Amino acid sequence: MDMDAFTSVHRPEWERLNTLARKRRLSGNEADELLQLYQSVSGHLSLIRSVTAESALSASLSAILANARTRFTGARSNIFVDIARFFVIALPAAFYRLRWLTLIIGAVFIAIAFLFALWVMGNPDVQAALGTDAELQQLVNHDFVNYYSENPAASFAGAVWTNNAWIAAQCVAFGITGIFVPYQIFMNAENVGMTAGAMFAYSKGDVFFSYILPHGLMELTAIFIAAAAGLRIFWAWVSPGPRTRLDSLALEGRSLMTVALGLVLVLLVSGLVEGFVTPSPLPVWAKITIGALVLAAYWAYTLILGGRAVRAGEQGDLNEDDAGAWLRSA
C-alpha cells in the first residue's frame, strides 16, 4: 500500500474528525457525522496498523479517535470504580508479577549485608577505620537507639516515609539504566551490614534486631520491590520478546509506575511502624510481631488478589482505552 497516497486521500476525513471532536457544541447532523467518521477512521487506523505496527501517523490517529470516543461516549469512568480497580486488580497484579525477582533481590541484599557484618565483626582494623572506640561505644549504646526517638513520632514517620518513597521512585524511574538499582542495593546492604557488624562486635546484636525488624521487614521489602520494578524496565528494552522495544517499554513502564504509586502507601505503613512502634515501650516480641503481620498482610494481598488478577490476564497496566488500544484488521 502506498502510504503517502493513502494519507493524501484520507487526511481531510481525519482533520474533519479532529475538528468535530474538539468542537464545543455539535448539531444533530454534526453528531451523526462524528459517529460516521469515527467508524471510517477506525478502519483506516486498522489498515495502517496492519502495514506498520507503530508509526507517528498511527499514534496521531489513535489520539484523534480517543478524543472522538470521549466526545460521543460522554463522561469518563466513575472515579470510585477506577480507584477500586487500581487497588483490587492493577496494583496487586503488578506486585505479583515481581514476586520472584523481589525475593531474589532480597536474598542478594541479605547475603551482602551478612558478609559486611562478618567483615566488621572479625576485623579490628575495619572497626578502627569506622571510628575510635569511644565513637563506636557512642553509636552502639546511644546513637543507634536514639535515632528512632530523638524527634516526635509523627514528624519522624513523615520524614522516613518521604525519604524511602523517594528512593523507591528513583529505583523504578532510573532502573532503565541497569546500573542505578544494583548500586542502590549494594550501598544499602553495605550500610546495614556494617552497622550490624559494629553492633555485634560490641555485643549489641539483640538491640540491632529489636530496632531493625519491626519496621525493616516491610521497609526493606518495599525497596526490593522497587528494585525489581526498575530491573524489569531495564530488561524490557534489552529483551523485548515478540514486541517492539517501544511497546515493551511502554507496557512495563505503565505497569511498574503503578508499583511506584503503590509503594508510596506501603512505605507510609512502614513509616508509621518505624515512627510509633519501633521506639515504643512495647515488648520486643510484640513490636516484631506487628512488623511481621504488616509483611504478611502485604504478601497475602499480593499472592491472593495479585495471583487472581494475573491469572485473569491482568498485567497491572492501564485499561485498554487509557493505554491507547487500537483496532486490528480481521
Side-chain angles (χ1 to χ4, degrees), residues 165-297:
W166 174 236
I167 293 173
Q170 286 180 302
C171 284
V172 177
F174 300 137
I176 193 171
T177 64
I179 299 172
F180 184 84
V181 167
Y183 173 78
Q184 281 292 326
I185 292 298
F186 181 84
M187 294 303 295
N188 277 277
E190 177 188 17
N191 182 53
V192 170
M194 295 189 76
T195 301
M199 296 291 288
F200 273 90
Y202 284 82
S203 301
K204 294 290 184 177
D206 57 336
V207 175
F208 174 80
F209 282 119
S210 68
Y211 276 83
I212 284 292
L213 290 180
H215 64 275
L217 290 171
M218 188 68 257
E219 180 179 279
L220 288 174
T221 299
I223 299 302
F224 303 155
I225 297 164
L231 291 180
R232 280 292 293 267
I233 294 176
F234 168 70
W235 196 247
W237 70 266
V238 172
S239 180
R243 304 186 186 96
T244 66
R245 280 187 168 78
L246 183 61
D247 282 346
S248 182
L249 274 174
L251 172 61
E252 293 297 343
R254 290 191 302 265
S255 300
L256 300 178
M257 286 310 293
T258 297
V259 170
L261 293 174
L263 287 179
V264 171
L265 300 177
V266 172
L267 288 168
L268 171 60
V269 174
S270 69
L272 291 174
V273 173
E274 187 169 359
F276 291 92
V277 176
T278 297
S280 74
L282 288 172
V284 172
W285 67 265
K287 293 191 287 188
I288 294 176
T289 298
I290 291 172
L293 288 174
V294 170
L295 181 64

Side-chain angles (χ1 to χ4, degrees), residues 102-180:
T102 297
L103 293 174
I104 291 170
I105 291 172
V108 170
F109 180 95
I110 292 171
I112 294 172
F114 180 73
L115 292 175
F116 270 108
L118 287 180
W119 184 48
V120 173
M121 286 173 56
N123 195 328
D125 291 337
V126 176
Q127 296 171 26
L130 293 177
T132 64
D133 182 68
E135 290 172 338
L136 292 178
Q137 289 278 4
Q138 177 68 24
L139 169 68
V140 301
N141 292 318
H142 303 285
D143 293 348
F144 181 79
V145 173
N146 291 342
Y147 167 75
Y148 297 98
S149 57
E150 61 187 359
N151 293 305
S155 62
F156 177 65
V160 167
W161 173 40
T162 54
N163 178 67
N164 289 332
W166 174 236
I167 293 173
Q170 286 180 302
C171 284
V172 177
F174 300 137
I176 193 171
T177 64
I179 299 172
F180 184 84

Side-chain angles (χ1 to χ4, degrees), residues 304-327:
I304 296 173
L305 292 184
R308 182 186 305 160
V310 169
R311 286 190 293 273
E314 180 65 41
Q315 296 290 308
D317 196 2
L318 300 173
N319 60 46
E320 290 186 347
D321 287 345
D322 291 333
W326 45 276
L327 297 174

